[in-house]
Amino acid sequence: STQSTWGILKILFANMAEQQERAFQKQKIFLNNKKLNKNNRYWKNVGLGIKTPRTAIEGTYVDKKCPFTGNISIRGRILKGTVVSTKMKRTIVVRREFLHFVTKYDRYEKRHKNISAHCSPAFLVKEGDQVTIGQCRPLSKTVRFNVLAVESKSKVTKGFVKF
């Protein structure tokens, strides 16, 4: 009896470490789910050849908008871009650059779009990182994408390099 009480308290203290909101955050209980690990943590594979990160499976964070541990399905477009800003809470701004053809001058011009995307606590994202984002239902006024994978910024810098 005391051992089971201690186990419950241990789980509660682990959850308290992740509690940063005013309301108590907890995962919804999914009854017929086969993918519950030893901490009774729900996680899923989003498909599309994207692996579920280890931090999503073994972590203790609670995020209902996470595509791996929450109730969000990825459908529609899969895009790649560069992280421009990480100043918002669990939201990043991704810049996508493309070329637009101007027929009058028979040339291309550079253009870009900034896209807001929800970033799960499973990822540690810094400015300059390359991210893969997937379209989902609207999560807020401007956010319609979710981060699926992160490639760290390479060591190559802009400019000339010694041979």
Side-chain angles (χ1 to χ4, degrees):
S1 171
T2 55
Q3 223 174 17
S4 64
T5 311
W6 179 247
I8 292 169
L9 284 173
K10 206 159 96 174
I11 292 170
L12 279 174
F13 285 130
N15 283 341
M16 293 306 282
E18 293 293 327
Q19 297 298 322
Q20 297 170 350
E21 307 293 330
R22 288 185 181 182
F24 184 76
Q25 303 292 307
K26 63 180 182 177
Q27 271 194 323
K28 283 192 175 178
I29 298 170
F30 298 90
L31 295 174
N32 47 4
N33 179 30
K34 295 173 186 166
K35 290 188 175 179
L36 287 175
N37 61 8
K38 58 185 169 267
N39 298 335
N40 286 340
R41 180 169 176 80
Y42 168 76
W43 60 275
K44 66 180 177 183
N45 185 359
V46 295
L48 307 166
I50 295 162
K51 290 186 77 174
T52 306
R54 268 265 162 274
T55 49
I57 299 169
E58 297 169 355
T60 58
Y61 70 89
V62 178
D63 184 14
K64 65 180 182 180
K65 296 178 181 178
C66 174
F68 305 106
T69 62
N71 191 20
I72 296 292
S73 59
I74 301 298
R75 80 284 193 281
R77 295 177 179 267
I78 305 291
L79 307 172
K80 283 194 174 194
T82 308
V83 177
V84 178
S85 171
T86 58
K87 294 176 184 172
M88 292 176 275
K89 188 177 184 179
R90 292 189 179 178
T91 305
I92 62 172
V93 177
V94 178
R95 181 184 175 112
R96 299 194 65 236
E97 295 180 342
F98 55 94
L99 296 175
H100 176 254
F101 187 70
V102 182
T103 51
K104 179 179 178 183
Y105 299 110
D106 198 29
R107 298 202 175 160
Y108 291 93
E109 65 184 4
K110 274 188 178 178
R111 289 192 178 181
H112 79 275
K113 287 275 187 218
N114 283 343
I115 300 170
S116 297
H118 179 77
C119 185
S120 166
F123 299 109
L124 292 174
V125 180
K126 297 184 290 292
E127 291 182 15
D129 288 352
Q130 286 288 116
V131 293
T132 304
I133 56 176
Q135 190 178 8
C136 59
R137 65 173 174 80
L139 302 176
S140 70
K141 181 181 175 185
T142 57
V143 178
R144 277 103 176 91
F145 286 87
N146 227 313
V147 175
L148 300 175
V150 178
E151 296 172 29
S152 295
K153 183 168 52 173
S154 61
K155 305 282 187 222
V156 179
T157 57
K158 225 175 184 182
F160 296 104
V161 181
K162 274 188 175 177
F163 309 51

